Amino acid sequence: MAANGIMNIVDVPEAIEWQATHAEEAGAPNTGRVVRALLAVLDSDTAVGRRMATWEGLSLEDAMPLRINGGLHNLLLTGADRRLEPVYAGLTTDQATIDALVVDLVETFDTRLLPWLDGPPQTNEAGRSWGFMSALMWLSVRLGPKFEINELGASAGVNTMMDRYHFDLGGVPSGPATSPMQIKPEWRGPPPPDSPVEIAAIRGCDQAPVDLSDPEAALRLKSYVWPEATARMGRIEAAIQLASEQVPDLVKQDAGDFVAEMLERPQKQGVTRVLSHSIVWQYIPEATRADIEAAMEEAGAKATKEKPLAWIALETNRATFRHELKVRYWPGGDEEVLLGCGHPHGAWAEWFGD
């Protein structure tokens, strides 16, 4: 299939196979085998299988295979059923054996697993904050060092705590050195500008925010992390520690309403108002996306040097499946600039700059 058709996949078996292959290519072959076993689930006499087989919409854009994959991982993490342990450990690799096991798990836990299909994975990933911070450094050169951050689809608020992270971005440091969250992706290309960043305020929204202080909610978040990704699991643990010290500022709100409210609030002089989001745009309804774009354009036209506006997005390019960092700012930079790209979970980052 052509690259530009990937996110438009409707066919359920095709989406499952693509997702399994993608997991393998991303260094998670054990997760890939579990995802591929969902093909066998489609033929099972289960509510999960029937709902998957008759999925309405774009199976891959909806991340449908990863929804149920999170539920299966959750069985292991909660101790409800540990039979996937040797699969995730790479000890059991025969696909037919894994198929039979996953089908049996779905048959056994059909009622428990079904609700996992209700919403997209909440893949809250601190590693992606490299994009936010490097973009803020770039903007600092142009707009000044002070920022007010507003994040869409913040999930558990992991990146809504980035003001407490320590970054090493191509050798350029930022943030408290003693932070339990150390963000240091493998850096490709030149470093971002070594320009100061002061986050004056930071808040986020989500339609179903996750409370990291709730052990059950935190475990659900971990369920979406592929077992092979030990570094990602470590970052979740660091985020839980930081949230226990000071909870992130999160509101349960629709993205469109959040942006409208954000733009109506008084803005401090000398502080750039920033809208940010990472790997969430595809989950926002098209009509809401259009409303947000229109609202930002309108607000951008009214922005001043004393009260600037910026938009930072680290999102999936639907044509190339590359995760790209793009920035716009007003006044003066309303044309979108591609600053870099990176690994979906922040393992590496490539900086283009300008």
Side-chain angles (χ1 to χ4, degrees):
M1 164 168 288
N4 61 6
I6 290 172
M7 296 304 286
N8 293 322
I9 291 176
V10 175
D11 183 75
V12 172
E14 185 181 1
I16 291 172
E17 181 58 43
W18 187 93
Q19 188 63 72
T21 301
H22 177 66
E24 292 166 350
E25 293 174 347
N30 306 324
T31 294
R33 295 183 187 103
V34 173
V35 171
R36 186 169 282 110
L38 296 175
L39 291 169
V41 174
L42 295 177
D43 297 324
S44 68
D45 185 22
T46 61
V48 167
R50 288 190 294 273
R51 186 169 175 191
M52 289 170 58
T54 57
W55 192 263
E56 294 183 6
L58 301 177
S59 305
L60 199 60
E61 183 178 83
D62 292 342
M64 185 270 285
L66 294 182
R67 297 184 186 200
I68 198 64
N69 183 66
L72 290 167
H73 189 200
N74 184 262
L75 295 176
L76 173 60
L77 292 178
T78 58
D81 195 302
R82 306 196 64 86
R83 285 179 289 166
L84 279 175
E85 194 164 33
V87 178
Y88 288 133
L91 301 176
T92 300
T93 59
D94 177 68
Q95 189 64 52
T97 301
I98 298 169
D99 289 354
L101 171 56
V102 170
V103 168
D104 189 59
L105 286 170
V106 174
E107 289 174 345
T108 304
F109 295 96
D110 200 17
T111 303
R112 172 173 171 159
L113 290 170
L114 188 61
W116 285 81
L117 288 168
D118 290 344
Q122 291 183 292
T123 52
N124 216 194
E125 175 49 64
R128 295 173 186 149
S129 61
W130 75 267
F132 293 158
M133 182 53 74
S134 58
L136 291 175
M137 292 172 168
W138 185 85
L139 287 168
S140 175
V141 176
R142 292 154 179 81
L143 303 175
K146 295 185 179 181
F147 299 93
E148 166 208 315
I149 312 296
N150 302 271
E151 185 187 7
L152 299 181
S155 187
V158 169
N159 288 321
T160 314
M161 298 187 289
M162 62 172 283
D163 56 329
R164 292 181 264 165
Y165 296 174
H166 180 259
F167 296 86
D168 182 337
L169 306 175
V172 178
S174 182
T178 57
S179 173
M181 187 72 80
Q182 299 285 321
I183 305 299
K184 186 180 180 180
E186 174 197 330
W187 200 263
R188 304 171 185 176
D194 189 358
S195 187
V197 170
E198 179 184 334
I199 298 177
I202 185 166
R203 64 197 297 267
C205 78
D206 199 275
Q207 287 189 327
V210 178
D211 180 3
L212 284 177
S213 67
D214 178 354
E216 185 176 337
L219 201 58
R220 183 181 179 88
L221 196 65
K222 290 180 181 179
S223 301
Y224 292 117
V225 177
W226 297 346
E228 294 95 330
T230 54
R232 290 189 70 198
M233 200 67 82
R235 288 193 290 271
I236 291 289
E237 294 291 354
I240 291 171
Q241 178 184 333
L242 287 169
S244 70
E245 297 167 0
Q246 180 185 334
V247 296
D249 186 359
L250 286 178
V251 293
K252 182 177 181 179
Q253 195 170 22
D254 173 79
D257 294 338
F258 179 79
V259 172
E261 184 182 287
M262 170 194 83
L263 294 173
E264 290 174 0
R265 287 199 316 270
Q267 182 176 351
K268 291 184 178 180
Q269 189 161 314
V271 178
T272 300
R273 173 165 287 163
V274 179
L275 177 66
S276 65
H277 50 85
S278 62
I279 323 300
V280 72
W281 196 245
Q282 70 190 57
Y283 301 125
I284 297 175
E286 187 175 352
T288 304
R289 294 198 299 255
D291 288 344
I292 292 172
E293 289 170 348
M296 289 293 287
E297 291 276 4
E298 183 180 349
K302 300 174 183 177
T304 65
K305 289 185 178 180
E306 292 74 28
K307 296 181 179 181
L309 178 67
W311 190 349
I312 302 173
L314 180 63
E315 295 289 346
T316 306
N317 182 315
R318 296 164 67 90
T320 64
F321 212 69
R322 187 172 69 165
H323 298 82
E324 297 179 337
L325 175 64
K326 296 181 177 181
V327 175
R328 298 177 70 186
Y329 67 91
W330 298 267
D334 57 330
E335 291 297 322
E336 193 172 65
V337 177
L338 175 63
L339 293 181
C341 64
H343 182 275
H345 305 143
W348 59 266
E350 183 173 3
W351 180 257
F352 304 149
D354 63 353

